[in-house]
């Protein structure tokens, strides 16, 4: 069984923290209105068209899963732009709630979803507390990759994922 690759959108795929007047190189602007977006104006989303190919290239080593607050809407709004097939997603039982030992709120649910299976997870909110918690409570291999929300995924991030999976 391949390890899971848990994919966050806002930050890693959509570097929302970049300067509004200067999107990161290679990204294109998309206007989206997912159900959870309550503003009248569509949400500005920056996506890099090459990231879909990069993720697909990892499918020989990983099973891809959305680990994003977009949940199933990632398949409606983001997957088609990146050329990704419909992917399973973590259906967070509670979003932005309490978390054990100072961890990011997603971490406990990531571990439940992984259910003892090896996984790599990229997100812009991963901290040392999350790494320590996963190391202490998850018996299988895990790679937690922090991605800068101003820059998004980069070539070294994809290389790190591929090298980690190859080393398992």
């Amino acid at each position: 069984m391949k390890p899971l690759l848990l994919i966050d959108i806002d930050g890693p795929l959509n570097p929302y923290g970049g300067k509004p007047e200067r999107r990161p190189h290679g990204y294109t602007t998309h206007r989206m209105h997912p159900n959870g977006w309550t503003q009248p104006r569509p949400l500005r989303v920056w996506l890099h068209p090459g990231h879909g190919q990069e993720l697909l290239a990892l499918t020989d080593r990983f099973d891809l899963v959305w680990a994003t607050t977009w949940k199933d809407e990632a398949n409606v709004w983001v997957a088609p732009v990146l050329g990704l097939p419909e992917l399973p997603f973590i259906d967070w039982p509670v979003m932005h709630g309490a978390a054990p030992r100072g961890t990011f709120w997603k971490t406990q649910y990531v571990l439940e979803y992984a259910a003892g299976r090896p996984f790599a997870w990229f997100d812009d909110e991963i901290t040392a507390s999350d790494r320590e918690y996963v190391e202490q409570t998850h018996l299988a291999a895990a790679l937690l990759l922090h991605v800068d929300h101003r820059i998004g995924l980069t070539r070294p991030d994809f290389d790190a994922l591929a090298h980690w999976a190859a080393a398992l």
Side-chain angles (χ1 to χ4, degrees), residues 25-81:
H25 178 73
Y27 285 78
T28 56
T29 302
H30 304 271
R31 301 291 177 183
M32 300 180 177
H33 213 289
N35 287 334
W37 184 249
T38 58
Q39 305 299 317
R41 292 180 51 184
L43 175 66
R44 182 207 73 210
V45 179
W46 287 332
L47 297 171
H48 192 297
H51 285 169
Q53 293 171 333
E54 295 280 4
L55 290 168
L56 288 173
L58 292 170
T59 59
D60 63 330
R61 297 180 175 171
F62 288 101
D63 289 332
L64 307 183
V65 176
W66 293 117
T68 174
T69 57
W70 291 65
K71 299 197 299 185
D72 60 333
E73 288 198 270
N75 287 315
V76 174
W77 295 97
V78 177
V81 174

Side-chain angles (χ1 to χ4, degrees), residues 86-164:
E86 185 170 324
L87 301 175
F89 63 94
I90 298 176
D91 191 10
W92 315 107
V94 176
M95 291 201 297
H96 311 289
R101 291 192 247 162
T103 59
F104 179 34
W105 68 266
K106 285 183 182 178
T107 305
Q108 61 191 319
Y109 303 121
V110 161
L111 293 180
E112 286 178 19
Y113 188 88
R117 188 170 168 185
F119 70 88
W121 171 32
F122 59 77
D123 201 297
D124 60 310
E125 303 223 26
I126 292 170
T127 67
S129 296
D130 299 298
R131 286 187 187 89
E132 181 180 322
Y133 183 75
V134 169
E135 188 175 296
Q136 292 173 355
T137 59
H138 188 69
L139 299 178
L143 172 66
L144 278 67
L145 184 63
H146 177 267
V147 177
D148 188 324
H149 69 283
R150 296 166 298 175
I151 299 169
L153 287 165
T154 62
R155 169 85 266 138
D157 297 323
F158 289 108
D159 291 343
L161 292 165
H163 292 306
W164 180 83

